[in-house]
Amino acid sequence: MNGPVNLPQSQSASLLPPQFEALCPLPQLLPGESIDHYHALQAAIFRDIAPETAVEWLLAIDIAELSWEMQRYRVLRHRLLNTYRQKAIEMTLRRVDVAGIAPDFQDVAEIYTIHNALDWQLDPSAALDIETRLRSYGFDQHAISMEVYVQAREILGLFESLLSGAQLDA
């Protein structure tokens, strides 16, 4: 859940003149995000822009917030693609391993395929074996990546619109 982070006097607040502190809201960080990284980015932007008036401070604060959101979206998009990569391996294994299996055994083959995809994610040795086997069937990393993007296309569209919106607001 997003929520304000209550801190003692922060390094970015020390850059912000007291008369403009009301303009700078507490950051809304997600679990795992670093307040120190947020303040470092904010302080760097404040130093570069060197705002003096209230309007300049508002713009600098907005640029810092939007820059943080853009970084957040990029990290989340990368993690999303890694998640879809396992699904892509599963789909590709299904094409290789389940094709031609008698209908009576397809359910069991599907279960093995799911387990193999999980092994690919968790066991580097299994990943190497699986990738070698997939390459022997013509599925290289580019083919896997294409499958990742096909599966993630809708959610990636959402991320792209969020990034574009943040960039336009900046």
Side-chain angles (χ1 to χ4, degrees):
M1 195 55 87
N2 285 353
V5 177
N6 295 318
L7 296 171
Q9 186 72 7
S10 68
Q11 70 182 41
S12 63
S14 64
L15 295 174
L16 189 66
Q19 70 267 29
F20 298 129
E21 285 180 4
L23 303 177
C24 193
L26 293 173
Q28 302 290 311
L29 300 181
L30 295 173
E33 292 181 335
S34 167
I35 189 68
D36 292 332
H37 291 157
Y38 175 87
H39 284 296
L41 177 125
Q42 189 181 51
I45 289 171
F46 289 174
R47 279 191 301 271
D48 280 357
I49 295 176
E52 294 179 15
T53 67
V55 171
E56 289 173 350
W57 275 105
L58 281 171
L59 291 171
I61 290 164
D62 284 348
I63 290 170
E65 280 289 315
L66 293 168
S67 295
W68 183 259
E69 283 195 37
M70 288 168 56
Q71 287 184 4
R72 174 186 286 159
Y73 294 149
R74 287 179 183 125
V75 167
L76 293 175
R77 182 180 58 196
H78 177 74
R79 290 183 182 158
L80 176 78
L81 288 173
N82 281 338
T83 300
Y84 275 96
R85 191 157 203 82
Q86 179 187 347
K87 292 280 188 197
I89 292 290
E90 183 181 320
M91 291 296 295
T92 308
L93 284 170
R94 189 171 285 120
R95 288 183 192 134
V96 169
D97 294 341
V98 180
I101 299 271
D104 293 345
F105 299 107
Q106 283 189 349
D107 290 341
V108 174
E110 289 284 336
I111 291 169
Y112 278 108
T113 299
I114 293 167
H115 285 284
N116 283 338
L118 186 59
D119 286 344
W120 170 86
Q121 182 182 22
L122 301 175
D123 181 359
S125 175
L128 186 60
D129 292 343
I130 289 168
E131 289 171 11
T132 300
R133 189 166 48 129
L134 291 176
R135 265 193 311 278
S136 73
Y137 284 92
F139 296 103
D140 61 4
Q141 289 301 321
H142 296 293
I144 303 294
S145 292
M146 183 182 69
E147 182 70 36
V148 169
Y149 281 97
V150 166
Q151 289 185 20
R153 71 185 170 272
E154 286 181 32
I155 194 80
L156 284 174
L158 171 68
F159 274 101
E160 290 304 318
S161 68
L162 289 170
L163 269 171
S164 294
Q167 290 170 345
L168 289 175
D169 290 339

